[in-house]
Amino acid sequence: MSQNGAFGYMLAKPPCADGCRCNNKRLAMKCLAMMFLLALCWLPYAWAEPHAPLRVAMLPYPDYAEYDADQRADGHAVRVIRRLLERAGYASEIRLLPVARVRLGLMSGELDLWLGLNNQVDLEAYTLQSHSSFGALPINLYYRPDEATPNWPESLRGRTLILITNYSYSLPVSRTLQDPRLALQTRSSSSHTGAIRMLLRGRGDYLLDYRGQVAAALNTLGMQALPHVAVDQPAMRLFVSRQRADARVLLNRLDQAFDALVDEGVDMDVTRQ
């Protein structure tokens, strides 16, 4: 072989050089494509506002959910929910609102989260409900000490029942109250103490109310416990507005945080302290 021929051979492309270069190029393109797809998946989280506080609603109740001197929500139930949200990695803005405002806020997406009862017929249409239970709120039927013990709901037939204005109850109780076969008459009181006075003065046959509310009212009035029969014990749960794109993710994280706190021995019952 001549010198020029040998030199030319050395400069020639080695066998499979084109194939290796093509394979490397294809591999590089695949890696770039995968990185691009991963970036697309990550960008929504990067552009989101992870520190934007959750807009949380609770119903006002003395010692459990009330505003302090600085107009900041406080109370046993508020502290339990704040601890849960912090454990789940969420900042929060807790507002104390009447149930009508809560309903509208969850439907429109103005509110993200509510701690309450499943006491609305169409609540599940615009919210997701947590598996975690934050305690039960017993609902009792109260009667005068000189009256016979009633049977729920048969004893309501043709009688007068005292209710609290703008209060709602569990779905089974609400359906019972709407049963036309009972021919039930109702009267309302704007306060729990007023409702107790109405009952004792004979302005109604029975009083339907939450146990905790009646206990607090009796304490205010300086009275002994009233005889009653238990009607229902609906569970307190979290409800997330379906208007949130990540509603299911949020609910799962809250349930997981709840389980973790319970495993650590934290009492998550908001109905007692």
Side-chain angles (χ1 to χ4, degrees), residues 80-97:
V80 169
I81 296 305
R82 274 210 183 98
R83 184 169 185 178
L84 173 75
L85 296 174
E86 290 171 0
R87 183 58 177 268
Y90 293 98
S92 62
E93 180 183 282
I94 299 179
R95 302 167 61 190
L96 308 182
L97 301 171

Side-chain angles (χ1 to χ4, degrees), residues 216-251:
L218 289 171
N219 183 62
T220 299
L221 294 170
M223 297 174 56
Q224 298 296 317
L226 287 173
H228 60 272
V229 294
V231 171
D232 198 6
Q233 295 192 64
M236 295 283 286
R237 300 187 188 278
L238 290 174
F239 297 86
V240 177
S241 171
R242 289 182 182 269
Q243 294 295 323
R244 282 188 65 98
D246 65 341
R248 179 63 65 183
V249 173
L250 170 58
L251 199 59

Side-chain angles (χ1 to χ4, degrees), residues 105-224:
L106 291 172
M107 292 178 67
S108 66
E110 179 185 352
L111 294 174
D112 300 310
L113 188 66
W114 175 52
L115 174 68
L117 303 175
N118 187 358
N119 54 9
Q120 302 171 35
V121 175
D122 57 347
L123 184 62
E124 295 180 356
Y126 53 88
T127 64
L128 297 177
Q129 177 178 301
S130 71
H131 296 296
S132 308
S133 171
F134 294 80
L137 289 182
I139 302 173
N140 295 334
L141 184 69
Y142 295 88
Y143 58 98
R144 288 184 292 276
D146 58 343
E147 295 286 340
T149 303
N151 294 315
W152 176 271
E154 292 80 8
S155 296
L156 296 179
R157 193 177 304 276
R159 308 300 289 272
T160 300
L161 181 66
I162 301 170
L163 303 173
I164 307 300
T165 305
N166 294 328
Y167 260 58
S168 57
Y169 305 92
S170 63
L171 287 180
V173 171
S174 297
R175 292 190 179 105
T176 297
L177 298 182
Q178 296 168 5
D179 187 348
R181 294 171 298 179
L182 293 177
L184 181 65
Q185 301 294 318
T186 61
R187 289 184 175 177
S188 299
S189 172
S190 60
S191 70
H192 303 278
T193 55
I196 293 172
R197 291 192 181 101
M198 288 176 64
L199 175 66
L200 296 179
R201 292 171 182 170
R203 296 180 58 191
D205 298 300
Y206 305 113
L207 165 64
L208 184 69
D209 204 351
Y210 290 95
R211 183 181 67 187
Q213 303 279 22
V214 171
L218 289 171
N219 183 62
T220 299
L221 294 170
M223 297 174 56
Q224 298 296 317

Side-chain angles (χ1 to χ4, degrees), residues 3-93:
Q3 184 176 0
N4 289 338
F7 186 71
Y9 177 78
M10 292 174 62
L11 292 178
K13 297 178 181 178
C16 85
D18 287 334
C20 292
R21 186 176 296 122
C22 290
N23 289 337
N24 288 339
K25 187 175 181 180
R26 292 193 190 97
L27 181 60
M29 292 299 293
K30 288 181 179 179
C31 289
L32 287 173
M34 291 179 65
M35 291 173 65
F36 180 72
L37 290 174
L38 289 173
L40 287 178
C41 294
W42 177 81
L43 280 176
Y45 297 95
W47 289 340
E49 297 181 0
H51 300 296
L54 290 177
R55 298 161 298 179
V56 184
M58 299 176 66
L59 303 183
Y61 187 73
D63 296 329
Y64 289 85
E66 58 187 351
Y67 287 117
D68 60 18
D70 298 322
Q71 291 301 299
R72 185 172 184 264
D74 195 15
H76 174 65
V78 173
R79 290 190 289 272
V80 169
I81 296 305
R82 274 210 183 98
R83 184 169 185 178
L84 173 75
L85 296 174
E86 290 171 0
R87 183 58 177 268
Y90 293 98
S92 62
E93 180 183 282

